[in-house]
Amino acid sequence: MADPVRRLERARADARRFAREARRLARRHARALGDDRTTVDAAADEVDAAADADDADRLSAALRHLDALWEAHLARRVKSPWREYAESTLAAVVFALLVRAFVLDAFRIPSGSMAPTLIAGDFIFVSKTAYAVRIPFTSVRVVDTGTPRRGDVIVFQSPREPSSNYVKRVIGIPGDVVELRDEVLYVNGVQQPRTPRGDFAYSERNEDTGTVVPESCRRYREALAKGALPAMASADAGWTWQVAAAAGVASYDVLQCRHVRLSAREGPFEVVKPGHVFVMGDNRDLSSDSRRSGGWQVPFGHIRGRAAVVFWSWGDGGLSFRRGAGVRLERLFKRIE
């Protein structure tokens, strides 16, 4: 048999919860209730006072009175659990759509052109407000919030294939001249230093045939200065890079998958026009980017946003209960350099 004292305490706690719920519902529907809200509040106050007093008869009478008011004015305003669930789900969906329209978007990496930074099967979040706030589902910029900098990884609508979205790294900004000498990056004639980091092996699945193609490349850590890089004589290039690096350095890994021919050179390409950027993939030998067809550039208006984080990754080598593709745990929530 339960302790009578404990039963009384539970009854008082239940009475106080009933009073709180009556006040909350009356407050939510204050306009519809009018003067009846005051009556409900007074009855709830009496329940609290009776619960505090050591008078079971008073508490019973107060509860009966509040229950009668509840049935008369509040019961029909209580939402069913299914309606509460439906409204919560609708609110969550609307919130997600607003976030996608204004703040974040998701993008799937289809190939290895940005390896090792991004590999096929990665899913990334893209910050849509990194450079501008746009009217949803259009390219109309309402407010400019920044400009792309060297080293940013961006998602953009291809100026050559408007129906396609690409993800590449910004290498040149307005006024820059980009070139590669023996696969080493130069911006405005200034060499961007890189250091070897050994070999990098990865596999890429052909989406048409399903065949997994292994790749083995040399890996380098590249340091791209973000500050102003005026063209200088080669003797001053190191000093020029250090001055530009004072404004920040983008450090990331790039791949070299083919044997470099002696004195091989790409560019120099055309000067990057105002309101445009020059982009390249980190997997330099397997990327279709601004170097192709004589050098093309991406207008600011085509940029959808800056790649921020890998939130999901699925592919060969991932965790799986059977052979084949699985979740790549080591890549989840990886910040994009």
Side-chain angles (χ1 to χ4, degrees):
M1 183 175 180
D3 185 345
V5 176
R6 295 178 64 181
R7 291 178 60 188
L8 179 59
E9 287 302 320
R10 282 200 299 270
R12 288 173 174 169
D14 290 342
R16 293 189 181 97
R17 279 194 292 270
F18 183 34
R20 284 197 302 271
E21 181 64 16
R23 287 195 195 91
R24 184 189 66 81
L25 204 57
R27 184 169 59 251
R28 176 182 295 181
H29 300 283
R31 181 174 298 179
L33 289 173
D35 293 340
D36 290 328
R37 181 192 172 184
T38 303
T39 304
V40 172
D41 286 341
D45 291 342
E46 173 60 17
V47 168
D48 283 339
D52 292 336
D54 190 14
D55 190 337
D57 292 338
R58 180 183 175 186
L59 179 58
S60 178
L63 284 170
R64 286 197 300 272
H65 181 49
L66 182 58
D67 185 62
L69 292 174
W70 178 280
E71 290 297 327
H73 304 294
L74 301 176
R76 65 179 180 276
R77 306 182 192 282
V78 178
K79 297 176 184 177
S80 69
W82 284 108
R83 183 179 174 187
E84 292 275 5
Y85 176 77
E87 290 184 355
S88 298
T89 302
L90 178 61
V93 170
V94 170
F95 178 75
L97 290 175
L98 288 174
V99 168
R100 182 169 184 181
F102 289 99
V103 183
L104 287 176
D105 204 352
F107 185 80
R108 176 180 173 271
I109 305 302
S111 71
S113 67
M114 276 295 293
T117 304
L118 299 170
I119 58 179
D122 283 350
F123 291 78
I124 63 175
F125 278 135
V126 178
S127 172
K128 300 182 72 171
T129 59
Y131 307 120
V133 176
R134 291 180 171 83
I135 296 176
F137 313 112
T138 74
S139 59
V140 179
R141 300 159 69 100
V142 179
V143 179
D144 289 330
T145 58
T147 56
R149 302 185 70 189
R150 296 190 202 98
D152 289 358
V153 177
I154 61 171
V155 173
F156 60 93
Q157 179 187 26
S158 170
R160 301 170 66 83
E161 302 173 43
S163 61
S164 300
N165 290 312
Y166 288 176
V167 55
K168 304 292 179 184
R169 189 178 299 275
V170 174
I171 299 298
I173 57 176
D176 284 347
V177 174
V178 175
E179 63 180 310
L180 290 174
R181 303 175 192 172
D182 298 337
E183 297 259 1
V184 177
L185 177 64
Y186 286 75
V187 179
N188 298 337
V190 179
Q191 179 179 340
Q192 306 303 299
R194 67 176 189 170
T195 54
R197 300 192 67 184
D199 293 332
F200 180 82
Y202 73 100
S203 297
E204 186 165 349
R205 184 181 296 274
N206 186 301
E207 293 188 350
D208 295 326
T209 65
T211 305
V212 177
V213 180
E215 293 284 353
S216 181
C217 312
R218 293 288 295 169
R219 184 174 186 165
Y220 295 89
R221 188 71 171 177
E222 191 167 86
L224 178 58
K226 295 186 177 183
L229 277 169
M232 299 291 288
S234 59
D236 298 324
W239 176 83
T240 303
W241 183 88
Q242 292 178 2
V243 172
V249 175
S251 297
Y252 47 88
D253 287 354
V254 297
L255 297 184
Q256 179 179 308
C257 298
R258 298 172 184 162
H259 179 69
V260 180
R261 293 169 298 164
L262 185 63
S263 300
R265 186 168 183 166
E266 292 184 77
F269 299 96
E270 291 184 358
V271 177
V272 181
K273 296 176 289 189
H276 290 69
V277 292
F278 188 100
V279 297
M280 292 170 59
D282 290 348
N283 194 347
R284 296 281 165 80
D285 294 319
L286 298 177
S287 173
S288 177
D289 49 41
S290 288
R291 295 170 291 169
R292 301 295 180 260
S293 303
W296 49 266
Q297 302 171 14
V298 181
F300 285 0
H302 284 227
I303 299 175
R304 293 182 55 181
R306 185 176 65 227
V309 67
V310 177
F311 69 89
W312 181 254
S313 185
W314 181 274
D316 295 298
L319 178 64
S320 176
F321 294 107
R322 57 183 181 180
R323 296 185 62 184
V327 182
R328 302 184 184 114
L329 297 176
E330 74 282 0
R331 298 192 63 79
L332 301 187
F333 305 106
K334 181 180 180 181
R335 187 173 64 86
I336 298 172
E337 296 181 320

